[in-house]
Amino acid sequence: MQEFIIIVLVASFLYPMKNLIGLLTRLALFGMMAYTLFSGSIPNWGDKFFALIILSLPIFLNMLVKFLKLKIIKA
């Protein structure tokens, strides 16, 4: 579980970058999501969905920040 937290924290910081590091982070996140779904490393579907939710947190956090910035700029 600690590995997931470290991955999510690092990915949340690197995901919004508009350079090669951000692109590699996005590809790594989507690769880990695909690996979680299609490999047999996590046998239970409930655990797979939990892992997907944890791995998708940086994407949702980035979308939330962009949405809040747009709301602040328009207000």
Side-chain angles (χ1 to χ4, degrees):
M1 185 65 181
Q2 291 176 348
E3 295 86 15
F4 274 136
I5 294 171
I6 292 170
I7 289 169
V8 167
L9 288 175
V10 170
S12 296
F13 179 72
L14 296 176
Y15 187 86
M17 290 185 169
K18 302 287 185 201
N19 55 12
L20 183 62
I21 294 173
L23 176 69
L24 292 176
T25 304
R26 285 185 215 105
L27 290 175
L29 273 175
F30 293 128
M32 285 188 285
M33 287 178 189
Y35 179 76
T36 301
L37 273 179
F38 300 118
S39 73
S41 62
I42 302 176
N44 190 0
W45 277 101
D47 294 338
K48 284 184 183 187
F49 287 131
F50 179 72
L52 286 176
I53 290 169
I54 296 293
L55 287 172
S56 64
L57 279 177
I59 298 166
F60 292 130
L61 288 174
N62 187 34
M63 289 171 46
L64 178 68
V65 168
K66 285 183 180 181
F67 177 74
L68 290 175
K69 282 183 182 178
L70 285 175
K71 284 291 186 182
I72 292 171
I73 290 173
K74 285 187 176 183

